[in-house]
Amino acid sequence: MRILNAIPNRRAIAMLDIAETDDVLELGFGPGHALRALARRAIRGSVTGIDQSATMLAAARAHNRRAIAEGQMRLLHGSFERIPLANASIDKILAVNIAYFISPLGHSLDEARRVLRPGGLMSLYVTDYSAMRWAQFAGPETYQMFDAAGLRAFLRASPFAEDRVTIHRIRLPLGFRGLVAAIRKN
Ligand SMILES: C[S@@+](CC[C@H](N)C(=O)[O-])C[C@H]1O[C@@H](n2cnc3c(N)ncnc32)[C@H](O)[C@@H]1O
């Protein structure tokens, strides 16, 4: 599973084309492996992460002790539906494997768009459910699974509706497929 997560994170991070001075935010960082890769790129900028799980926060803090101690990284315990950052203060947002937990009826990405600078970029990865209907991934907290059309419809109904969206398909081991949306805020 770790490898299956590593590839999407790598691709989603590459898509962000992070500059050394970028201020980067990760939504739902989980164990915090991607945070480390973000910190290696934004070496003169900053990395902020927000996750609602105390367990994940502890794991991510342990993984990223150095960047946190040096003041480059800040990890927050809370929901990405309430992000304690100023408007237009972030250049890039990484959002990998979190969209399943976002209610299609809610406005869970309002805050992500608010904190993103005009011209800023978010990359959002989901596994393509149409390539793995045989697998049981949907748990009790899962709102939805995606195929490419579903992801496009989801983003069209989101606060990013008027922004530029490109969806890329990626191949993963074991026949899995993924979708990475690059969303550029106008
Ligand atoms: C499937 S994990 C993905 C972790 C990581 N991004 C990765 O790719 O390995 C989803 C993470 O999102 C977090 N999460 C889900 N909904 C959230 C919300 N509304 N606010 C903050 N974190 C949330 C969970 O706690 C979990 O750590």
Side-chain angles (χ1 to χ4, degrees), residues 8-18 41 94 121 123:
N9 272 291
R10 244 193 343 257
R11 296 291 291 271
I13 292 170
M15 198 159 285
L16 289 177
D17 191 22
I18 294 170
R41 288 164 176 75
L94 180 69
L121 189 61
S123 76

Side-chain angles (χ1 to χ4, degrees), residues 1-2 4-6 8-9 26-34 50-57 76-83 94-102 108 125 141 143:
M1 211 58 194
R2 169 110 187 253
L4 274 179
N5 275 344
N9 272 291
E26 180 171 12
L27 309 180
F29 49 70
H33 300 295
I50 185 161
D51 199 295
Q52 67 186 11
S53 157
T55 309
M56 292 301 166
L57 179 66
L76 307 171
H77 185 208
S79 171
F80 49 67
E81 295 180 29
R82 280 178 69 94
I83 304 174
L94 180 69
V96 174
N97 283 326
I98 56 111
Y100 326 112
F101 311 109
I102 295 177
S108 303
Y125 169 89
E141 290 174 0
Y143 283 104

Side-chain angles (χ1 to χ4, degrees), residues 36 57-66 68 75:
R36 218 163 149 167
L57 179 66
R61 283 201 170 132
H63 255 95
N64 291 280
R65 272 196 205 97
R66 193 155 142 200
I68 294 168
L75 300 186

Side-chain angles (χ1 to χ4, degrees), residues 7-185:
I7 298 170
N9 272 291
R10 244 193 343 257
R11 296 291 291 271
I13 292 170
M15 198 159 285
L16 289 177
D17 191 22
I18 294 170
E20 286 185 0
T21 54
D22 275 348
D23 295 312
V24 186
L25 170 67
E26 180 171 12
L27 309 180
F29 49 70
H33 300 295
L35 287 166
R36 218 163 149 167
L38 298 175
R40 275 201 301 270
R41 288 164 176 75
I43 48 174
R44 290 187 292 126
S46 68
V47 176
T48 306
I50 185 161
D51 199 295
Q52 67 186 11
S53 157
T55 309
M56 292 301 166
L57 179 66
R61 283 201 170 132
H63 255 95
N64 291 280
R65 272 196 205 97
R66 193 155 142 200
I68 294 168
E70 287 172 354
Q72 183 200 7
M73 186 184 293
R74 197 158 62 113
L75 300 186
L76 307 171
H77 185 208
S79 171
F80 49 67
E81 295 180 29
R82 280 178 69 94
I83 304 174
L85 296 176
N87 294 350
S89 56
I90 292 292
D91 298 296
K92 308 278 166 67
I93 298 180
L94 180 69
V96 174
N97 283 326
I98 56 111
Y100 326 112
F101 311 109
I102 295 177
S103 163
L105 303 175
H107 297 279
S108 303
L109 292 178
D110 280 357
E111 282 284 280
R113 190 171 190 281
R114 178 184 67 76
V115 300
L116 197 58
R117 295 191 168 111
L121 189 61
M122 173 160 96
S123 76
L124 183 141
Y125 169 89
V126 291
T127 297
D128 184 344
Y129 181 57
S130 64
M132 52 165 213
R133 292 206 192 278
W134 46 271
Q136 289 296 312
F137 276 88
E141 290 174 0
T142 309
Y143 283 104
Q144 53 192 334
M145 305 300 281
F146 295 94
D147 58 12
L151 179 58
R152 193 166 287 284
F154 168 80
L155 291 170
R156 230 181 261 131
S158 83
F160 290 95
E162 305 298 323
D163 298 310
R164 269 171 295 156
V165 173
T166 325
I167 295 178
H168 304 260
R169 291 183 164 83
I170 64 173
R171 282 175 184 276
L172 301 169
L174 306 174
F176 285 85
R177 303 254 173 116
L179 302 164
V180 193
I183 304 153
R184 175 84 64 185
K185 180 176 172 179

